[in-house]
Amino acid sequence: MVTTREVSADDAATVTQMVAALLAELGAGHVQAGLDIQLVTDLLAMKERISGFLAFAEERPVGIIMLSESAALFARGAYGIITELYVVPDQRSSGVAMALIDAAVGLGTVRGWGQLEVGAPNQPMWSRSPNSALYLKAGFAEIGPRLKLPLHGLAHRRVQSNPTSPSRLDPRRRRALRRVPQSSGSAHDEVVVPSVNLGRLFGERLRGGLSQRTLALQLLLLRASESMGNHDSNVVGAGRVG
């Protein structure tokens, strides 16, 4: 006789073992990384969102169903999702899976879920799977394929697939931010400052009271520096003219 009971944190080891067996079977023997008992313990502690049932044949655990609660407008509120369903090989086709589904339906009814959903394998695997007949017999209806977008490492993958785009800075700001190579300790080290509007600069200095002769000398120095190849910036010496 098959009995079921709700899982608790004390069942973490059993849940880990059974879900690992399910993932290995779905992955053709390749156990997925990242499933450990601590992860299972943490998830089982989320009682408001995660629940499940174990099936027993006498004292032996022979099956498991794990459920997650979600909510959506199309479901008119909360609904349940079967995330894992597994029965040990020697107990399949003996009513264990149906007993677990019945337990899930009973929980959903108590919690007021509008519906219960389950993900199916890709076609044509689904059409050949005995699970298709099991779910249809339990009253499930096919609603179409589901898609997923793994979020772990998504930002890194997007950076790799989208190389750095050209700078959107306007030409004036790009020239201002351009760095000029400097030789350490050289007497020709220069301090580069952003380009300015000479007319506006000297207009402001005239209003500040500087003589026209002094401004003319400063203008000659700036033009001389530009003729030496610094067309994108003004090179200003440390000394003062005047």
Side-chain angles (χ1 to χ4, degrees):
M1 179 180 178
V2 177
T3 60
T4 61
R5 68 165 174 81
E6 196 165 358
V7 298
S8 68
D10 296 334
D11 299 312
T14 302
V15 172
T16 302
Q17 180 182 3
M18 287 199 165
V19 174
L22 169 66
L23 297 179
E25 190 170 315
L26 293 175
H30 302 289
V31 179
Q32 296 187 14
L35 182 65
D36 55 50
I37 192 169
Q38 185 57 54
L39 172 63
V40 173
T41 301
D42 292 342
L43 291 177
L44 291 178
M46 302 168 60
K47 296 181 179 180
E48 70 283 357
R49 295 179 55 191
I50 305 297
S51 54
F53 292 89
L54 285 169
F56 294 85
E58 298 181 358
E59 298 289 329
R60 176 193 172 200
V62 294
I64 187 171
I65 188 169
M66 293 300 299
L67 307 158
S68 176
E69 181 175 300
S70 188
L73 295 174
F74 70 81
R76 298 181 180 273
Y79 69 100
I81 302 172
I82 298 175
T83 55
E84 289 91 19
L85 174 58
Y86 177 74
V87 177
V88 297
D90 65 313
Q91 291 293 318
R92 294 174 185 175
S93 301
S94 63
V96 175
M98 191 63 69
L100 289 168
I101 293 175
D102 288 342
V105 170
L107 178 67
T109 302
V110 171
R111 292 194 176 183
W113 292 349
Q115 61 191 53
L116 187 62
E117 293 188 359
V118 62
N122 294 329
Q123 294 286 3
M125 182 186 299
W126 167 246
S127 60
R128 298 196 305 264
S129 171
N131 292 333
S132 59
L134 168 69
Y135 288 117
L136 293 174
K137 181 180 178 180
F140 286 78
E142 295 187 25
I143 57 176
R146 297 171 62 186
L147 306 177
K148 70 175 181 179
L149 175 64
L151 299 183
H152 292 292
L154 178 62
H156 178 67
R157 292 196 303 272
R158 284 184 171 176
V159 168
Q160 289 183 328
S161 61
N162 295 303
T164 303
S165 58
S167 174
R168 295 183 180 180
L169 295 176
D170 59 78
R172 180 181 299 176
R173 293 189 63 189
R174 288 202 299 270
R175 289 196 300 269
L177 295 175
R178 184 179 301 165
R179 294 182 177 180
V180 176
Q182 298 182 5
S183 300
S184 176
S186 170
H188 301 289
D189 287 353
E190 299 170 336
V191 179
V192 180
V193 299
S195 299
V196 297
N197 184 305
L198 293 179
R200 183 175 61 185
L201 171 65
F202 285 99
E204 292 172 352
R205 292 188 179 183
L206 277 170
R207 289 192 294 272
L210 294 178
S211 68
Q212 293 185 1
R213 180 173 175 272
T214 299
L215 295 175
L217 287 173
Q218 290 182 345
L219 177 59
L220 287 174
L221 285 174
L222 289 169
R223 286 180 174 173
S225 66
E226 290 179 352
S227 65
M228 295 172 64
N230 287 304
H231 300 293
D232 291 335
S233 59
N234 297 320
V235 181
V236 182
R240 178 182 176 186
V241 178

